[in-house]
Amino acid sequence: MSGHGDAQPMISAKCGPLRGEAAVPGDKSISHRALIFGAMAVGETKISGLLEGQDVLDTARAMRAFGATVTQHGPGTWSVHGVGVGGFSEPADVIDCGNSGTGVRLIMGTMATTAMTATFTGDASLCKRPMGRVTDPLSLFGTQAYGRKGGRLPMTVVGAANPVPVRYALPVASAQVKSAVLLAGLNAPGETVVIEREPTRDHSERMLVGFGARLNVERTTEGHVITLQGRPELRPQTVAVPRDPSSAAFPTCAALIVEGSDITVPGVSQNLTRNGLYITLAEMGAEIEFQNPREEGGEPVADLRVRFSGNMKGIEVPPERAPSMIDEYPILSVVAAFATGKTVMRGVKELRVKESDRIDAMARGLVACGVTIEEDEDTLIVHGMGAGGMPGGAVAQTHLDHRIAMSFLVAGMASQREISVDDGSPIVTSFPIFEGLMNGLGAAIRRG
Ligand code: S3P
C-alpha cells in the first residue's frame, strides 16, 4: 500500500555525465499476471525476476487472501501454489490494492465469475479512478458491483454464480479492461470474445497461452478479435519476468538529456505493444543503438546503448502509437522540453485517468520549471528549449503518481536549477531501486 505514509520530498540537481549499466527491475504488468495466472493454475508456478514493487506485493497479498499459497524464496524468486480456475475462496477481509489500477482491475475480473463476494479498496489515488470500465463488461457475465459515486472504490463485487460467456468490444484502448474480461471468461462456459480496435499490451494473451488456455487472436478489419475457451485447466509454469521497458525509460531519457552521458540499459522489451517510446525517441534524433536482439522470458528484448543527444527535434507523435507508450508520455514530455521545436502529443486523454491526471500534472510542473505548454482534454504540446535550456528551480506536485515523481527527478538532472518533487514515496510502487540506480549512474538525487 502506498500513499498511506508520510510524504517524502526529493530533490534532483544538475549532474555530470551518466555512465554504466542501468539494470532495471522486472516488468510490472508481467509480474502482476505471473502471480494471478499462477493462482489460477493447479500446482506450483515458479517465478524469477518478479518486480518487488509495492503494487505487485499488494497483488501477492490479494492472491493469498483468495486462497493461493504465495511464497518468496529469495530476491525476485517466488512460487505460487494455485487453486485452479474457479477455485478461489472468499476473502475474509477487504482487498487493499494500494496504488495499483492493474492489480484491482485484473483481480476483479478474476473473481467475477465465481460465486463469492469481495470488497476492494486502495489509496487516495486509486479511489479516484474509474472502475466502471471494468464492472460494465463484467456485468454482462452476471457479476454485480456496488461502488461509490462514479463507479469508484471502495467497491463490493458479487461474482456471478452462473456466468454466461461474453462478446465485448472495448470502448477504450485498455489492456487492463481486456485482461479483466479474459480473466472473467476463464470461469465462464463456452467462448468469451474480446475485440480491440487498437492493439494494447498483449501479455495476458501470451501468458494465457503459455499456461495452457485455448486462446486465438484473429486480425480483422474490426481489429484484434480474441477468442478464449472457458473453463480450461491451467498448467503451472516457470515464468522468467523480463525487465520493465517503462522503468527503463527513465535512465534512457536521463542519458539523452544529461551532457556527455553514455550508458547501457540491458534487456529492454521490443514487444511492439510496449516499444512506442523508443520509436518516438529515434524519430526525435536520439542516439540509441539496439544491440544483441534476443528473447528473454518470452519477450523480444535488446540491450540499449544510449548517448547524450544534444540535437533532438520535436515531432508529432502519431495518436495511434499511444497504446504502445501510454505510460511513457510523462518522461517523453521531459525529453521534449530539452529538444528544439514543438512536440505534439495528441490522442492522450487516457492519461487523465492514470495514477494522477498526468496531462495536468506534467503541464503544471513543466510550466513551473519555465517550459511553455499547450494542453486540451486530449492533447499535450511541449515547446522545447533545447539541450540545457530548461530553467527548473521549481517544486513539482506528484499527486501520488510514481511516474510523475520520476519524470521530474530526471528533468532536474539536466535543468539549470534544482527540481524538487513534493512526494517521491510512490516510486516504490514500480521502481523501488530508482534512487540508488540513478545515483549509481551519476545522478544527484537526494531526500528533502
Ligand atoms: C497495464 C495497462 C495500462 C498501463 C498500466 C499497466 C496493464 O493501463 O497504463 O500501467 O498491465 O495491463 P490501461 O489498461 O488503463 O491503459
Side-chain angles (χ1 to χ4, degrees):
M1 289 172 284
S2 69
H4 296 277
D6 293 337
Q8 174 59 70
M10 292 175 80
I11 304 154
S12 177
K14 194 176 177 78
C15 61
L18 304 182
R19 290 288 153 83
E21 186 182 81
V24 305
D27 189 90
K28 182 152 70 72
S29 294
I30 296 176
S31 294
H32 281 294
R33 287 162 172 82
L35 292 169
I36 294 170
F37 297 154
M40 297 187 88
V42 179
E44 192 186 48
T45 286
K46 294 182 174 154
I47 309 169
S48 59
L50 189 84
L51 168 65
E52 286 161 349
Q54 193 56 49
D55 278 9
V56 176
L57 298 178
D58 288 335
T59 288
R61 203 159 35 92
M63 291 301 97
R64 289 189 188 112
F66 282 103
T69 305
V70 184
T71 313
Q72 186 191 21
H73 301 279
T77 309
W78 290 61
S79 65
V80 183
H81 247 282
V83 290
V85 169
F88 272 10
S89 43
E90 188 170 85
D93 208 339
V94 173
I95 302 294
D96 188 338
C97 289
N99 192 247
S100 181
T102 305
V104 74
R105 290 180 175 137
L106 268 56
I107 297 167
M108 278 182 180
T110 311
M111 57 73 59
T113 45
T114 304
M116 66 169 65
T117 298
T119 300
F120 295 89
T121 193
D123 70 3
S125 153
L126 193 57
C127 286
K128 285 190 198 143
R129 298 180 68 185
M131 295 299 140
R133 55 176 52 199
V134 172
T135 54
D136 288 350
L138 294 183
S139 71
L140 305 174
F141 289 96
T143 309
Q144 290 167 293
Y146 306 92
R148 286 164 59 235
K149 207 158 84 193
R152 316 279 154 174
L153 301 179
M155 177 173 272
T156 294
V157 180
V158 182
N162 296 304
V164 290
V166 154
R167 183 180 175 89
Y168 188 67
L170 294 174
V172 280
S174 166
Q176 293 175 358
V177 178
K178 170 177 67 175
S179 302
V181 177
L182 291 173
L183 281 159
L186 281 176
N187 198 35
E191 282 184 359
T192 286
V193 180
V194 183
I195 301 150
E196 59 174 5
R197 206 158 23 91
E198 301 156 284
T200 62
R201 67 190 66 196
D202 60 359
H203 308 303
S204 293
E205 296 90 308
R206 286 167 179 254
M207 291 176 77
L208 278 169
V209 170
F211 275 85
R214 282 181 33 223
L215 179 142
N216 178 54
V217 183
E218 209 186 326
R219 287 163 180 78
T220 71
T221 47
E222 273 185 291
H224 286 183
V225 180
I226 307 159
T227 305
L228 173 76
Q229 305 291 331
R231 307 231 159 120
E233 176 156 322
L234 297 187
R235 294 186 300 263
Q237 294 298 298
T238 298
V239 182
V241 180
R243 298 184 199 281
D244 195 325
S246 300
S247 296
F250 295 102
T252 298
C253 291
L256 293 174
I257 61 172
V258 173
E259 207 172 326
S261 297
D262 185 350
I263 68 165
T264 311
V265 192
V268 179
S269 178
Q270 302 299 299
N271 179 323
L272 299 178
T273 64
R274 292 293 293 277
N275 71 346
L277 173 73
Y278 298 94
I279 295 170
T280 303
L281 292 172
E283 289 174 1
M284 293 172 79
E287 268 195 69
I288 304 180
E289 278 172 43
F290 297 84
Q291 302 173 335
N292 307 320
R294 61 192 181 281
E295 196 153 290
E296 266 178 21
E299 293 279 322
V301 302
D303 301 330
L304 269 46
R305 175 148 182 214
V306 188
R307 276 174 270 216
F308 169 63
S309 303
N311 292 315
M312 289 186 288
K313 306 259 180 300
I315 63 161
E316 287 246 358
V317 184
E320 62 277 11
R321 195 178 289 161
S324 69
M325 54 180 291
I326 195 67
D327 291 336
E328 282 66 77
Y329 283 99
I331 190 63
L332 175 65
S333 62
V334 168
V335 173
F338 289 93
T340 51
K342 265 194 325 193
T343 295
V344 181
M345 297 167 259
R346 294 192 204 282
V348 293
K349 64 173 184 292
E350 270 295 295
L351 295 190
R352 296 202 182 271
V353 290
K354 294 294 178 186
E355 285 82 331
S356 68
D357 176 340
R358 286 181 171 160
I359 295 180
D360 186 69
M362 288 312 299
R364 280 169 197 261
L366 287 170
V367 166
C369 290
V371 183
T372 302
I373 298 290
E374 295 169 63
E375 68 164 296
D376 67 28
E377 181 57 23
D378 199 24
T379 310
L380 179 64
I381 300 173
V382 177
H383 292 254
M385 306 184 86
M390 189 198 285
V395 182
Q397 307 295 314
T398 60
H399 305 282
L400 289 178
D401 191 326
H402 53 132
R403 298 198 202 283
I404 300 300
M406 290 187 279
S407 295
F408 280 104
L409 292 173
V410 168
M413 293 165 64
S415 60
Q416 291 157 12
R417 284 181 292 140
E418 293 183 344
I419 296 178
S420 306
V421 297
D422 64 332
D423 185 9
S425 66
I427 292 172
V428 296
T429 61
S430 69
F431 199 163
I433 60 169
F434 173 79
E435 188 183 352
L437 184 145
M438 297 300 272
N439 285 343
L441 296 172
I445 296 172
R446 62 185 198 276
R447 309 275 172 125

